[in-house]
Amino acid sequence: MALGFFGLALFLFLTLDSDFGASPSASASASAASSEGVEVQITYGSVIKLMHEKTKFRLHSHDVPYGSGSGQQSVTGFPNVDDSNSYWIVRPEPGTSAKQGDTIKSGTIIRLQHMRTRKWLHSHLHASPISGNLEVSCFGGETESDTGDYWRLFIEGSGKTWKQDQRIRLQHVDTGGYLHSHDKKYSRIAGGQQEVCGVREKRADNVWLAAEGVYLPVTETK
């Protein structure tokens, strides 16, 4: 596990400076922040896994398209912790003053970029394959992103800024659907993985927590 965190920190140093101008010192600090066992803030540029609270599956994607709906890259819930396709980079809404290392307040619009394929967590009005709810997919790329990639963060409870292991909801800006999963599983191309979709009602099944990952340190305000 420690080797995995080191590898992710190296990845951050080599590839995540395009949006923010990451410094070597910030990247070198990242792996330590992920393993100290203290209260950790989620900041822009951090690479995280989102765990579905009720089922403990991780938000996951891979270069496999849906066979229905949009035909875009599929998003699922994955049962195993050790899978590199479950890492997501936390990015700000374009055009804001947010920078790498900034904390993220409840109510903020964020984007989640799939680390392996570089596509964005996305939703729209297509029907999800199993339940017929709102489809959640991955779409676009480094230079291609639209409002279908925008998710508003809501922290459950009294917290004001997003922290590791804190209960959150993500509401899709365009459709109003909450990022949702349940124990309905795929049987063929993603056998054993469960459906991720959007639903417009607040339910117990649309609560998530930031779990494993590389958390970049908070940028000090000068």
Side-chain angles (χ1 to χ4, degrees):
M1 185 65 73
L3 184 61
F5 282 136
F6 175 79
L8 266 179
L10 180 62
F11 176 88
L12 283 168
F13 173 66
L14 294 174
T15 67
L16 296 190
D17 58 355
S18 59
D19 283 5
F20 300 105
S23 67
S25 59
S27 297
S29 303
S31 61
S34 65
S35 58
E36 290 174 350
V38 298
E39 187 176 80
V40 177
Q41 297 268 4
I42 284 81
T43 57
Y44 290 119
S46 293
V47 180
I48 67 172
K49 290 186 179 183
L50 276 181
M51 182 181 73
H52 186 240
E53 183 185 49
K54 194 167 183 180
T55 64
K56 311 306 179 190
F57 279 44
R58 269 63 176 174
L59 184 70
H60 176 92
S61 190
H62 38 226
D63 192 13
V64 177
Y66 284 120
S68 61
S70 69
Q72 293 174 4
Q73 182 171 302
S74 57
V75 173
T76 63
F78 197 79
N80 300 328
V81 174
D82 296 327
D83 186 89
S84 61
N85 280 316
S86 300
Y87 283 110
W88 302 83
I89 308 165
V90 183
R91 302 288 200 192
E93 178 185 4
T96 68
S97 60
K99 61 185 182 301
Q100 180 171 291
D102 283 353
T103 58
I104 305 168
K105 295 180 180 180
S106 186
T108 300
I109 293 174
I110 66 169
R111 298 176 298 161
L112 292 174
Q113 186 178 28
H114 189 240
M115 190 181 78
R116 177 65 64 85
T117 64
R118 317 304 286 180
K119 295 184 178 182
W120 303 97
L121 186 70
H122 187 88
S123 190
H124 35 223
L125 297 177
H126 290 283
S128 62
I130 297 178
S131 64
N133 289 308
L134 299 167
E135 182 189 272
V136 172
S137 64
C138 269
F139 178 74
E142 294 284 6
T143 59
E144 183 181 7
S145 179
D146 59 28
T147 59
D149 309 328
Y150 292 4
W151 299 83
R152 192 177 299 277
L153 169 77
F154 290 105
I155 295 169
E156 296 289 298
S158 58
K160 294 182 179 180
T161 57
W162 190 12
K163 300 178 180 67
Q164 188 181 23
D165 297 324
Q166 190 170 41
R167 300 173 73 246
I168 65 156
R169 297 178 197 269
L170 290 173
Q171 187 176 30
H172 190 245
V173 171
D174 281 358
T175 65
Y178 291 96
L179 186 66
H180 181 90
S181 193
H182 41 213
D183 59 4
K184 296 178 174 63
K185 295 182 173 61
Y186 293 97
S187 59
R188 290 188 290 177
I189 61 171
Q193 298 176 42
Q194 66 189 26
E195 185 183 57
V196 170
C197 58
V199 297
R200 290 192 174 97
E201 305 84 23
K202 278 190 177 182
R203 300 181 189 173
D205 281 341
N206 46 50
V207 175
W208 301 79
L209 303 91
E212 304 82 16
V214 174
Y215 294 85
L216 297 188
V218 175
T219 301
E220 295 182 7
T221 303
K222 295 182 180 181

